[in-house]
């Protein structure tokens, strides 16, 4: 039977704690921002455009659901690597890296990518609204558009590389 030394066990515990604690703190931040967005959209003075308010309620809810799925899939991966795999011949960090081909890790990566695309698209729309009526700034609109296309291309390349892995 394989037994880990106390330093390896302590290192695995620190890795598990840091991965789960950081994810939980970030998810708590996302939850707080989501609740604030819902509150401000429900009680917003946008009486003239109720369709806009409904659109943004749906938009923020989809973003929150994607982030929830991402956090849950990452917790699952960390749980398998550090708790279920505890005491095996392969150390936890190596086992966690090997889990990237698991369905939950692939789903987590997809949720992360889609939520980033949605956030970038919202930023792009805000840039277009900001620069729309300013003089001599029409050339600024293609810059965020090209950055959005570059981000989509990078994520596509990452997913293609992960599939070949």
């Amino acid at each position: 039977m394989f037994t880990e030394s106390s330093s390896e066990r302590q290192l695995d515990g620190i890795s598990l704690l840091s991965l789960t604690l950081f994810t939980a703190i970030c998810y708590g931040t996302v939850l707080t921002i989501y609740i604030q967005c819902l509150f401000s959209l429900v009680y917003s003075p946008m009486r003239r455009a109720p369709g806009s308010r409904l659109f943004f309620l749906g938009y923020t809810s989809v973003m929150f659901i994607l982030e929830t799925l991402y956090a849950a899939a990452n917790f699952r991966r960390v749980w398998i690597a550090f708790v279920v795999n505890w005491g095996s011949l392969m150390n936890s960090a190596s086992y966690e890296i090997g889990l990237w081909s698991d369905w939950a890790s692939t789903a987590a990566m997809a949720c992360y990518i889609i939520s980033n695309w949605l956030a970038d698209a919202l930023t792009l729309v805000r840039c277009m609204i900001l620069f729309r009526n300013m003089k001599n700034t029409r050339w600024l609109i293609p810059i965020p558009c090209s950055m959005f296309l570059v981000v989509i291309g990078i994520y596509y390349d990452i997913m293609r590389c992960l599939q070949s892995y």
Side-chain angles (χ1 to χ4, degrees):
M1 181 175 165
F2 177 74
T3 57
E4 291 181 309
S5 68
S6 62
S7 63
E8 288 174 339
R9 225 172 305 149
Q10 183 180 14
L11 184 62
D12 282 348
I14 290 170
S15 297
L16 172 64
L17 180 64
S18 66
L19 287 170
T20 55
L21 185 64
F22 183 70
T23 304
I25 289 170
C26 291
Y27 183 73
T29 305
V30 167
L31 179 64
T32 304
I33 292 171
Y34 174 68
I35 291 170
Q36 287 177 340
C37 283
L38 283 181
F39 183 77
S40 66
L41 284 170
V42 168
Y43 296 109
S44 72
M46 290 192 301
R47 303 281 184 237
R48 293 176 291 167
S52 173
R53 182 171 43 174
L54 190 60
F55 169 76
F56 283 115
L57 279 170
Y59 191 87
T60 55
S61 296
V62 167
M63 293 268 305
F64 179 70
I65 289 168
L66 287 171
E67 293 301 324
T68 301
L69 292 173
Y70 173 71
N74 274 337
F75 276 130
R76 179 187 180 276
R77 190 188 70 222
V78 169
W79 175 264
I80 289 172
F82 289 93
V83 177
V84 174
N85 187 48
W86 188 80
S88 70
L89 294 175
M90 184 183 286
N91 68 357
S92 299
S94 300
Y95 192 77
E96 185 198 6
I97 291 170
L99 281 175
W100 277 107
S101 60
D102 185 35
W103 68 269
S105 297
T106 305
M109 182 65 76
C111 288
Y112 177 75
I113 289 171
I114 292 169
S115 67
N116 274 346
W117 284 349
L118 289 174
D120 289 345
L122 183 62
T123 304
L124 180 63
V125 169
R126 292 180 77 185
C127 285
M128 290 171 66
I129 290 170
L130 178 69
F131 296 138
R132 180 177 49 202
N133 294 326
M134 298 174 81
K135 290 184 177 184
N136 300 325
T137 57
R138 295 278 184 205
W139 60 272
L140 286 175
I141 292 175
I143 293 172
C145 291
S146 62
M147 293 302 293
F148 183 62
L149 293 175
V150 166
V151 166
I152 290 175
I154 288 172
Y155 283 137
Y156 175 75
D157 193 42
I158 288 172
M159 290 306 286
R160 196 171 45 105
C161 289
L162 284 176
Q163 286 177 350
S164 66
Y165 175 69

